[in-house]
């Protein structure tokens, strides 16, 4: 059973479109995250939710909107996609939001904006 | 704020040779240190972590890393690598307090390729 699963695995779309990436974890964790990995492989946190409540919101354009319907799901909706949004997006979860809880990552969603 | 620098983007080695993947960090507060591994087409997995206590930490598959506070380093080592160790390795830090509490900052990764 996949612990953190995200769909789709690949997403190719045109500029200006709106798209969503879904994430689900079956680990019973309280905290979920979205990370973006750019073309230079830098992984940067975008958002973090703890029990459906937003706790980390980095300087991300407001075209990106996370939604957590329950603590097992954290979806990422992106409006008006731009070329620079092309990246691999990783969902992750951890037992708690503190520094010492290891992250469990999904396999990533490779988004290509043309 | 913290930053992490992995000094080598690619490290090719032969099977059974020793390897060291270098990681340096900077931070204005105390940090906790992690190494994550990413196998092809998979997400990252925690390899080992330093939180406190002994500065030498080990993983179950033979990797070890040593926290050196004076040199702000957390290099990853393995005395004898296997083909299956081929993967990308990410060093990461997390502040113990301040405005960056709870955020994990990653390095840009080192691709380890083990040749037969």
């Amino acid at each position: 059973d996949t612990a953190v699963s995200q769909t789709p695995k690949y997403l190719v779309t045109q500029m200006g479109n709106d798209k969503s990436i879904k994430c689900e974890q079956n680990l019973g964790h309280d905290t979920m995250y979205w990370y973006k990995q750019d073309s230079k492989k830098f992984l940067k946190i975008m958002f973090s939710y703890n029990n459906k409540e937003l706790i980390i919101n980095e300087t991300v354009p407001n075209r990106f909107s996370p939604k957590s319907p329950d603590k097992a799901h954290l979806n990422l909706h992106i409006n008006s996609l731009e070329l620079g949004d092309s990246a691999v997006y990783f969902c992750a979860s951890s037992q708690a939001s503190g520094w010492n809880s290891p992250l469990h990552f999904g396999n990533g969603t490779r988004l290509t904006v043309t | 704020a913290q930053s992490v620098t992995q000094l080598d983007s690619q490290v090719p080695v032969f099977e059974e040779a020793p390897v060291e993947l270098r990681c340096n960090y900077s931070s204005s507060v105390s940090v906790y240190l992690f190494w994550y591994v990413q196998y092809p087409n998979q997400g990252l997995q925690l390899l080992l972590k330093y939180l406190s206590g002994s500065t030498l930490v080990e993983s179950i598959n033979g990797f070890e890393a040593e926290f050196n506070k004076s040199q702000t380093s957390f290099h990853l080592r393995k005395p004898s690598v296997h083909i299956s160790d081929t993967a990308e390795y990410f060093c990461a830090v997390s502040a113990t307090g301040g405005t960056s509490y709870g955020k994990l900052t990653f390095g840009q990764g080192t691709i380890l390729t083990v040749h037969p």
Side-chain angles (χ1 to χ4, degrees):
Chain A
D1 286 344
T2 304
V4 181
S5 60
Q6 50 184 113
T7 54
K9 188 172 181 178
Y10 299 97
L11 184 54
V12 181
T13 188
Q14 292 184 328
M15 284 174 54
N17 285 347
D18 303 338
K19 290 293 178 186
S20 292
I21 307 172
K22 295 185 176 181
C23 179
E24 176 183 3
Q25 54 95 4
N26 62 6
L27 297 166
H29 287 168
D30 288 334
T31 307
M32 296 186 72
Y33 310 78
W34 277 108
Y35 277 81
K36 178 180 180 181
Q37 186 177 43
D38 63 22
S39 58
K40 294 184 179 178
K41 291 298 188 82
F42 274 109
L43 261 168
K44 192 170 181 184
I45 190 167
M46 300 173 68
F47 303 102
S48 171
Y49 270 73
N50 182 259
N51 268 321
K52 302 193 299 175
E53 191 174 329
L54 182 67
I55 55 171
I56 293 176
N57 185 353
E58 289 296 274
T59 51
V60 176
N62 57 14
R63 297 182 295 104
F64 290 79
S65 53
K67 286 192 171 49
S68 183
D70 54 61
K71 74 173 193 176
H73 296 83
L74 180 62
N75 303 323
L76 183 65
H77 189 76
I78 316 170
N79 290 327
S80 303
L81 278 155
E82 300 177 357
L83 292 176
D85 298 332
S86 295
V88 181
Y89 293 84
F90 286 98
C91 177
S93 71
S94 66
Q95 197 161 17
S97 58
W99 42 263
N100 63 346
S101 294
L103 301 185
H104 295 256
F105 284 84
N107 289 345
T109 296
R110 183 174 295 277
L111 171 65
T112 303
V113 182
T114 61
Chain B
Q2 302 88 247
S3 67
V4 179
T5 302
Q6 291 182 241
L7 296 157
D8 307 293
S9 59
Q10 297 192 50
V11 174
V13 294
F14 286 106
E15 196 173 16
E16 297 183 6
V19 71
E20 178 180 77
L21 307 184
R22 297 178 293 168
C23 172
N24 286 92
Y25 69 91
S26 68
S27 176
S28 56
V29 299
S30 297
V31 296
Y32 298 94
L33 297 146
F34 307 82
W35 276 98
Y36 281 80
V37 58
Q38 184 178 23
Y39 297 102
N41 299 314
Q42 294 186 27
L44 282 75
Q45 305 170 35
L46 180 68
L47 186 61
L48 45 76
K49 62 183 178 181
Y50 169 78
L51 302 179
S52 65
S54 172
T55 56
L56 185 67
V57 291
E58 298 177 356
S59 73
I60 57 172
N61 57 353
F63 282 95
E64 64 179 29
E66 186 160 19
F67 169 50
N68 188 319
K69 189 174 181 180
S70 62
Q71 296 187 4
T72 60
S73 68
F74 191 54
H75 301 330
L76 181 69
R77 301 185 186 95
K78 189 170 184 179
S80 175
V81 294
H82 303 284
I83 297 284
S84 59
D85 293 325
T86 295
E88 188 155 15
Y89 292 79
F90 291 89
C91 182
V93 301
S94 179
T96 63
T99 57
S100 297
Y101 178 75
K103 296 180 190 175
L104 206 55
T105 301
F106 287 88
Q108 67 269 48
T110 298
I111 298 173
L112 173 64
T113 305
V114 181
H115 299 284

